[in-house]
Amino acid sequence: KSTESIDIFDSIGSNIIINTKGNEVLRILPKFNEELNEEWITDKVRFSYDGLKKQRLSSPFLKTSKGFLERTNWRDILSLITDKILSSKSQIAMVSGSSTDLETLIVSKSLLNSLGSSSFFKKSGREFDKSNLDFPSNYQLNSSLPDLENCDLCVLVNINPRLEAPLLNTRLRKGVIGGSTRVAYIGETLDLTFKTFNLGFSKSTLVSLLEGRHPFCSEIVKSKNPVFIFGN
């Protein structure tokens, strides 16, 4: 059976087709969408279904007084959460993994806010950062991907599109190889598989660029359709 779906491992929401037999996923293929992923998907989602079979958490765990995790059931967990909230002695917090889809994040945060808490954390590398999911600017790209192919200059600020948004990287690569786009970046040294220009790696580099004191500002002024892409 083939089911159309969306890739949650890719920040641009690539369209995919999931092939299943019974309740088992057998294959993941790209679904053509000219506005998003064209006919491409990343290797990460193409082979991600392996994770559905191994090391899965099938039930919740509760931390004991001795610091160990014990397997329990959802009814007991929800009863415990309700009792703690009603007692007004505890504040609930939520922690999200790096692969949680956006809809689940929004619903979870709405539930948390309705319980009088704003302690929502997401995993970022090895750390957990407090998340603010109320502002669409935190996760939206205000240019379409086809438009990126028409830009003549792209400046990346603290982002590695090869890792964070591979299909965004393919659009930029197409423009650079075709000779219509130049790509510069601020941040650590990147290998994006095409020619780029490193403008610096400190905050002062970005400030000087915004204030017009950086030597690269003359290139920005000469460009007809520049695009800036910022990381999270």
Side-chain angles (χ1 to χ4, degrees):
K1 180 180 179 182
S2 295
T3 305
E4 296 181 2
S5 187
I6 294 175
D7 172 14
I8 66 168
F9 292 103
D10 187 348
S11 57
I12 69 170
S14 299
N15 289 188
I16 57 176
I17 296 174
I18 302 175
N19 291 340
T20 57
K21 184 177 182 181
N23 61 352
E24 184 178 0
V25 177
L26 300 180
R27 184 171 62 176
I28 296 178
L29 300 172
K31 179 180 182 294
F32 182 79
N33 186 328
E34 184 66 35
E35 296 296 316
L36 289 177
N37 53 300
E38 298 178 299
E39 69 274 14
W40 305 102
I41 56 172
T42 63
D43 290 343
K44 188 173 185 178
V45 67
R46 190 182 293 273
F47 302 107
S48 62
Y49 63 90
D50 282 347
L52 300 174
K53 303 176 183 179
K54 301 176 182 179
Q55 298 180 332
R56 300 297 300 170
L57 292 177
S58 56
S59 61
F61 285 75
L62 182 64
K63 197 170 188 178
T64 65
S65 57
K66 296 182 180 180
F68 298 104
L69 290 175
E70 288 188 352
R71 190 183 298 273
T72 182
N73 59 73
W74 282 110
R75 177 173 294 181
D76 291 344
I77 286 291
L78 293 174
S79 297
L80 177 64
I81 293 174
T82 303
D83 293 341
K84 284 187 174 292
I85 293 173
L86 293 177
S87 67
S88 300
K89 295 180 181 179
S90 303
Q91 187 182 48
I92 188 172
M94 287 186 180
V95 180
S96 164
S98 57
S99 298
T100 309
D101 62 279
L102 187 62
E103 183 178 4
T104 301
L105 291 176
I106 296 294
V107 172
S108 300
K109 191 168 188 294
S110 297
L111 172 62
L112 196 66
N113 293 156
S114 69
L115 298 175
S117 174
S118 60
S119 301
F120 194 98
F121 299 86
K122 69 177 179 65
K123 189 173 183 182
S124 177
R126 295 184 178 181
E127 305 295 329
F128 288 91
D129 301 326
K130 198 163 187 179
S131 298
N132 189 339
L133 304 173
D134 295 330
F135 301 102
S137 59
N138 286 357
Y139 53 83
Q140 284 186 343
L141 186 69
N142 61 9
S143 297
S144 69
L145 292 179
D147 286 343
L148 290 179
E149 296 183 18
N150 300 323
C151 75
D152 55 355
L153 177 65
C154 178
V155 179
L156 306 174
V157 181
N158 193 31
I159 184 174
N160 185 344
R162 187 178 179 185
L163 296 179
E164 299 177 42
L167 297 175
L168 168 67
N169 197 54
T170 61
R171 297 274 185 169
L172 294 176
R173 188 175 189 272
K174 187 187 300 185
V176 172
I177 292 178
S180 60
T181 306
R182 299 178 67 198
V183 176
Y185 65 90
I186 298 175
E188 297 181 359
T189 303
L190 299 179
D191 177 12
L192 302 181
T193 71
F194 52 83
K195 185 178 180 180
T196 56
F197 303 92
N198 190 342
L199 306 181
F201 59 90
S202 65
K203 291 182 180 178
S204 60
T205 303
L206 178 60
V207 172
S208 64
L209 198 69
L210 295 174
E211 293 180 346
R213 295 183 286 104
H214 195 283
F216 194 74
C217 290
S218 58
E219 299 294 327
I220 298 177
V221 172
K222 288 189 295 184
S223 64
K224 296 180 180 180
N225 188 19
V227 172
F228 284 73
I229 301 178
F230 291 84
N232 43 336

